[in-house]
Structure formats: C-alpha cells, structure tokens
Amino acid sequence: MNRTQHLRLILVLGSLTAIGPFSIDMYLPGFPAIANDLRTDIAHVSLSLTSYFIGISVGQLGFGPLLDRFGRKKPLIAGLVIYILAAAGCGLSPSISWLVLQRFFLALGSCVGIVAARAIVRDLFPVNEVAKIFSTLMLVLAISPIIAPSVGAFVADTFSWRLIFAVLAAIAAVILYGVT
C-alpha cells in the first residue's frame, strides 16, 4: 500500500469512527427547535437519543458477525445506505414518534462504522502499526463530540434542525464513496 492509499484509508476509517459521535452530538443543539416544530416537549425529543443508544447497542451485536460472515465491504455499504436513508427520514420527520424510530435506524447504520473500522485495522495493518492507527482513531473519536455540537448549532440556527440530518446524510454519502 503506497502512502496515498494509506492516508486515504486512514481518512475513511477516521470518518467511519466519527460518524457515531457526530450522529449523537450534532443534533443536540436543535432540541428546542425540534420540540417546537414537532409540537412536543424536549423530554419526548430526548427519546430519540435513547432510541439511538438502543440502536447502536443492538447494531454492534448484529454487525460484528455480519462483517465476519460476509466480509467487510458489503455490510459496511449496507450500513451506510441504512444510515443515509434514516438520516433522510429523520430530516423529513412529520412527528416525534417517526423521529424516534428513524433515530433507531440511524444508529443501526452508524454502528457499522465503529465495528468495521476496528476490524479493518486489524485486517490490513501489521501488528506493529495497529496501536498507532487505533490511537489516531481514538483521537478522532475524542475530537468529534467537541466539534459536532458547534456544527449542529450553526446549521440549526442558520437554517433548520432538519438540515442537520441532510448534513449527516451527505457526510455518510462521502464516506460511502470513499468505501466503494
């Protein structure tokens, strides 16, 4: 693997790692706008966060064996497609119950990135580089929750809370392009 391919792979793996924290933290500043737009209260909007955590827990249990059985690429593509469709569903939510359901599917799609990135590192990198790559991915994982709320607040304040999910879908589409 040449240096360009190496850097591209690290960028894709970092993006896959960051998609989960971005999905959690980017829409948090939009809670008041979501509650207002969907005619509910913030307590009901927070159920969408709960459904996300349930989905990410269930999804990791499911995608691990799928990645082992069918290889890395097909489940990864399937998970990203689920993510993109669910992000669109979140942005088009007509009710809080729909948003809660779509956030569950968003989590199912996003957790493939967490599971696949770690598996791909173990598959492709020599043992002496694995710790270095994992450290880089952990740095991305640590920085993402710091950046995501600021980006989400900007998008929600400047445009609409619904556009946050369009941005998340666009990020996933770019990652999908990088994977294929």
Side-chain angles (χ1 to χ4, degrees):
M1 176 176 348
N2 66 36
R3 182 153 173 79
T4 304
Q5 291 171 325
H6 181 80
L7 289 174
R8 180 177 179 224
L9 180 59
I10 297 299
L11 182 62
V12 169
L13 293 173
S15 300
L16 286 169
T17 302
I19 200 166
F22 258 80
S23 301
I24 294 166
D25 297 321
M26 194 167 164
Y27 90 120
L28 295 177
F31 268 31
I34 294 169
N36 185 47
D37 192 34
L38 298 180
R39 295 177 189 86
T40 189
D41 54 27
I42 292 180
H44 282 90
V45 175
S46 65
L47 290 174
S48 66
L49 189 58
T50 303
S51 72
Y52 185 89
F53 287 127
I54 292 168
I56 206 160
S57 300
V58 170
Q60 287 183 55
L61 293 172
F63 272 114
L66 289 175
L67 287 163
D68 289 340
R69 171 122 168 107
F70 298 107
R72 308 301 186 218
K73 197 168 189 174
K74 288 179 183 178
L76 187 54
I77 291 170
L80 289 170
V81 168
I82 290 168
Y83 184 91
I84 292 167
L85 294 173
C90 288
L92 299 171
S93 293
S95 67
I96 191 61
S97 58
W98 182 261
L99 179 64
V100 169
L101 178 66
Q102 292 303 308
R103 288 282 298 169
F104 176 82
F105 288 111
L106 189 75
L108 288 179
S110 75
C111 71
V112 73
I114 297 166
V115 178
R118 290 183 177 99
I120 291 169
V121 168
R122 285 189 299 271
D123 291 347
L124 297 181
F125 293 96
V127 174
N128 61 338
E129 274 190 61
V130 168
K132 180 181 170 186
I133 303 300
F134 276 142
S135 295
T136 303
L137 296 181
M138 290 304 111
L139 179 64
V140 170
L141 192 64
I143 292 172
S144 299
I146 297 168
I147 297 170
S150 300
V151 173
F154 172 77
V155 172
D157 290 344
T158 307
F159 303 102
S160 165
W161 69 267
R162 293 177 185 277
L163 193 62
I164 291 170
F165 294 104
V167 170
L168 289 171
I171 290 169
V174 169
I175 295 169
L176 180 61
Y177 176 77
V179 167
T180 56

